[in-house]
């Protein structure tokens, strides 16, 4: 059976409950991924887990080798990817603790190696990115969230910022004017690279703080929201996989 890829972000450097079968150090034409790939079973289904920021969470968002990460998952046989990303909430209904399955994104990041189409490993292709996330995986996540009693927010625009610093209040105002609902630092170029490799990819965003200027001190209670939010994300993934992957 084809394994599902899970990319864990802040608060999910390991997937609690994963029955580990083996770990693989992957090497790709783009270098090494953030961490060894962990193969195992989650809710009885085969998965390949990758810690986006490294095992010790010491790789900053702008320093992640996104190309190696996504390539390694594809080489490991993955065709469908659930990306878990911690985010700040901009829209009023994206309070800390909320899970969001975005349907759009705007990329504000810069200077990241963001494509495989460099004329060497892959020919130039202008991939269609009108809808940046896979509808199939999105629907699957939404269904699983409902089944797990979580009811994630269906849709929303993810703003991918450069980090590692957080945003200014004025930057968040601008993102809101642009139509963004949530803000994170790791959503791109990951989603676009997955599209270039024709992977079915969607994001389960976990709101862990109000974005800058949206109330309170960003770091207050953040750790607690990371814990609660990631526990909810795990329940969602468990429900999704438990329901049985179809391919
Ligand atoms: N901004 C950017 N990235 C984030 C945030 C935020 O407020 N919270 C978690 N990741």
């Amino acid at each position: 059976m084809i394994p599902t890829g899970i990319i864990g972000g802040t608060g999910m450097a390991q997937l609690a409950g994963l029955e580990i079968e083996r770990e693989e150090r992957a090497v790709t034409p783009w270098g090494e991924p953030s961490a060894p790939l962990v193969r195992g079973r989650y809710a009885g289904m085969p998965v390949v887990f990758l810690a986006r920021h490294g095992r010790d969470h010491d790789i900053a968002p702008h320093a992640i080798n996104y190309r190696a990460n996504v390539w390694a998952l594809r080489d490991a046989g993955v065709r469908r990817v659930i990306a878990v990303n911690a985010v700040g909430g901009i829209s009023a209904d994206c309070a800390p603790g909320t899970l969001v399955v975005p349907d759009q994104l705007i990329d504000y990041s810069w200077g990241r190696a963001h494509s495989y189409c460099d004329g060497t490993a892959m020919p130039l292709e202008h991939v269609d990115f009108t809808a940046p996330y896979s509808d199939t995986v999105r629907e699957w996540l939404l269904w699983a969230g409902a089944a797990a009693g979580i009811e994630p927010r269906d849709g929303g625009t993810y703003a991918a910022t450069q980090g590692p610093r957080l945003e200014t209040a004025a930057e968040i105002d601008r993102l809101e004017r642009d139509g963004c609902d949530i803000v994170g630092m790791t959503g791109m170029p990951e989603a676009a690279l997955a599209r270039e490799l024709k992977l079915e990819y969607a994001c389960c965003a976990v709101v862990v703080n109000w974005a800058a200027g949206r109330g309170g001190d960003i770091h207050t209670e953040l750790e607690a929201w990371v814990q609660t939010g990631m526990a909810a994300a795990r329940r969602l993934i468990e429900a999704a996989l438990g329901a049985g992957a179809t391919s």
Side-chain angles (χ1 to χ4, degrees), residues 6-227:
I6 300 171
I7 305 180
T10 298
M12 202 186 265
Q14 286 163 3
L15 185 58
L18 174 66
E19 282 170 52
I20 299 174
E21 284 163 2
R22 64 179 187 277
E23 296 191 358
E24 292 166 8
R25 260 218 128 69
V27 182
T28 79
W30 318 98
E32 281 193 33
S34 301
L37 301 180
V38 184
R39 271 188 200 272
R41 288 193 171 258
Y42 197 67
M45 299 295 290
V47 304
V48 180
F49 178 81
L50 175 60
R52 185 187 286 115
H53 293 275
R55 283 229 161 120
D56 301 324
H57 200 273
D58 55 359
I59 310 177
H62 64 284
I64 290 168
N65 189 340
Y66 293 95
R67 290 195 296 190
N69 285 355
V70 177
W71 193 276
L73 286 175
R74 199 273 310 260
D75 273 2
V78 161
R79 295 292 169 265
R80 171 175 40 206
V81 178
I82 302 171
V84 182
N85 302 72
V87 296
I90 300 174
S91 296
D93 62 347
C94 293
T98 310
L99 298 197
V100 182
V101 181
D103 60 346
Q104 276 299 330
L105 63 81
I106 300 180
D107 188 7
Y108 301 91
S109 71
W110 49 271
R112 302 181 180 189
H114 63 282
S115 174
Y116 296 113
C117 300
D118 66 351
T120 57
M122 274 175 53
L124 175 60
E125 190 190 347
H126 301 288
V127 291
D128 184 353
F129 207 43
T130 312
Y133 300 108
S134 154
D135 278 341
T136 316
V137 180
R138 286 194 67 254
E139 291 304 324
W140 187 41
L141 295 181
L142 290 166
W143 177 88
I150 295 165
E151 303 289 351
R153 187 189 204 260
D154 179 358
T157 299
Y158 177 112
T161 56
Q162 178 70 355
R165 68 164 176 83
L166 292 157
E167 299 72 33
T168 66
E171 285 170 333
I172 294 297
D173 289 343
R174 173 191 168 208
L175 298 186
E176 185 167 42
R177 286 195 299 276
D178 283 355
C180 299
D181 300 290
I182 50 177
V183 54
M185 301 173 190
T186 51
M188 282 291 283
E190 197 174 90
L193 292 166
R195 180 60 53 85
E196 285 188 356
L197 294 188
K198 301 184 172 43
L199 300 178
E200 296 282 329
Y201 173 104
C203 164
C204 172
V206 180
V207 184
V208 297
N209 58 276
W210 281 115
R214 291 295 181 273
D217 168 4
I218 283 183
H219 290 288
T220 309
E221 296 181 19
L222 183 135
E223 201 40 52
W225 284 119
V226 169
Q227 298 305 326

